[in-house]
Amino acid sequence: MPRSEPPPDWVLTRRRAIGERIRTVRVAARLTQQQVAERIDMDRATYNRIEQGHAAALLDSLILIASALDVPLSYLVREP
């Protein structure tokens, strides 16, 4: 069931931090958003929303992103 209220600010902050970590790894790997999105069978717009922290990623999506970027999932979601 979807939430009726937006998540607390600290959750949004963590979501943005995860997205920034994804972007940093992607840029270091010299990949475009489109290339990563294609590797995980996701449309680029959805991938972009995850990377920007505007969308909550499903665990499965984070696992696929970590695999496509060749980093451990724990690296993407670790506490700052």
Side-chain angles (χ1 to χ4, degrees):
M1 181 189 307
R3 295 174 56 106
S4 59
E5 302 175 9
D9 288 342
W10 68 268
V11 171
L12 298 175
T13 299
R14 287 280 293 131
R15 187 190 297 170
R16 284 189 296 274
I18 291 167
E20 178 60 28
R21 206 164 291 120
I22 291 169
R23 187 188 75 74
T24 299
V25 172
R26 176 184 59 76
V27 170
R30 297 179 179 251
L31 295 169
T32 65
Q33 287 184 346
Q34 184 65 41
Q35 289 169 319
V36 176
E38 287 173 359
R39 288 182 180 192
I40 63 174
D41 196 29
M42 177 183 286
D43 66 279
R44 192 205 56 81
T46 300
Y47 177 84
N48 176 267
R49 286 191 296 273
I50 292 170
E51 196 174 281
Q52 295 296 316
H54 298 303
L58 295 173
L59 178 58
D60 291 355
S61 296
L62 289 175
I63 291 168
L64 289 167
I65 291 168
S67 177
L69 296 174
D70 197 28
V71 295
L73 174 63
S74 61
Y75 176 77
L76 298 180
V77 299
R78 68 177 166 71
E79 290 287 333

